[in-house]
Amino acid sequence: MNTQPTLAKEGENTGTTGDSQPSDGLKAGLKNRHLSMIAIGGVIGAGLFVGSGSGIAAAGPAILLSYALVGTMVVFVMRMLGEMAAARPTSGSFSAYADQALGRWAGFTIGWLYWFFWVVVLAVEATAGAVILESWIPAVPQWAWALIVMVVLTATNLASVSSYGEFEFWFAGIKVVAIAAFVIVGLLAVFGVLPGSDNPGAGFAHLSDAGGFLPMGAGAILTGVLMVVFSFMGSEIVTLAAGESEDPQRAVTKATNSVIWRIGVFYLGSIFVVLTLLPWNDKSIVEKGSYVAALDSIGIPHAGQVMNVIVLTAVLSCLNSGLYTASRMAFSLGQRGDAPKAFAKTNKRGVPTAAILSSVVFGFVAVFFNYQWPDTVFAFLLNSSGAVALFVWLVICVTQLRMRGIILRETPEKLVVRMWLFPYLTWATIAMIVFVLGYMIYDGGSAREQVVLSLLVAALVLVIALVKDRLTKQTDRV
């Protein structure tokens, strides 16, 4: 049996045909404007709004270096993924590429781990959205709000891929406009030229006036890396969605080329504004949240409620994309025989109904666990999926090392996006990811628990993959 991995031929089990139209039952229902906004907004999760205050408290102004380091790593990973996705757009994205370049075991393992990650995220985001909605309308209990949110977005995804795209277009649009406005208004206040601002406008003084730029020492930069790395998860969604777009190659190329300024403006830009409006050790940054504290310092009325609306939008966006992503990964696994065949079936609208429903059922179960056993069962689910983001990025890097040669051999004309300084930057990125995983184990606490539990789950899935592969080969020989 030939074990040398090769790229599938044109239109064969890849999700696309030669003219970039889906050939597997999915429909090209995503317009270029949908893909553009998914690419821009996909990198902005609720974690940026909610979790950045803890990072600032742990590292001070040096958290900017933490964001810059992780942002650089994500830019490199997205460049590698963009190289493969532009050459071969498919709903399975990196899982399908790992299957082709590394072996069936790799595609199976990383595909199921990624699916597991997103269905757990569904429960987290549904609960977060329910908390906000209950604070507005307390007559409806929190569990009911979580149920309503999940049902509405499930219906959206079941309707058609264009419905998902339209919802995500507006969700992402609100996030983008909100952060852009925050950066502009914040910078005007920083330099004292915003009319009616309550902030004294200290310029760049707050970056060093409370113990210097590195008040907690250089080691705090790495601590900050651990706290911010997971807020970048979701950048890769656009490569999954590209398989259902009008012009996958153009969409992936555009998204890959724009990732640098997206991270620069939305992450580094907004955190920079917070740190220049307030001293990093201002208690309100942790108590209220970094963005609410910054808006309060300017004198924006009802800053907390304004931010709640934006966070709710980010939560709904993450839920919408999480359900889409989990279902498309399940669909791809079904196509490759790594999941029940029903997952690979689509209805007349090109929607993989079984893949969506199976993903949302697990999401509902996880929501139930969150309410019933938040500190035991759900905590285990959360921690055991915590390091999956880093596993995914690591697999993308290793896959690209092999896939470059395969693409050059079989379809060199499709290598329109290239990883810079290949293979040196690819190896450097692998080293960065391995270092972060190692530091998480060394750092101890919840970070170590996440890595250890995630590795145990990954090992379990890998064993299943190897056993399945062995049984398949035995069956083929018979």
Side-chain angles (χ1 to χ4, degrees), residues 252-276:
V252 168
T253 303
K254 187 176 180 181
T256 303
N257 291 337
S258 66
V259 70
I260 297 175
W261 70 260
R262 285 187 281 130
I263 289 173
V265 172
F266 298 129
Y267 277 82
L268 288 172
S270 60
I271 297 299
F272 175 81
V273 166
V274 172
L275 288 167
T276 48

Side-chain angles (χ1 to χ4, degrees), residues 158 327 330 340-346 351-360:
L158 285 172
S327 66
K341 290 182 180 179
F343 286 10
K345 294 181 180 178
T346 59
V351 175
T353 307
I356 291 174
L357 291 178
S358 62
S359 300
V360 82

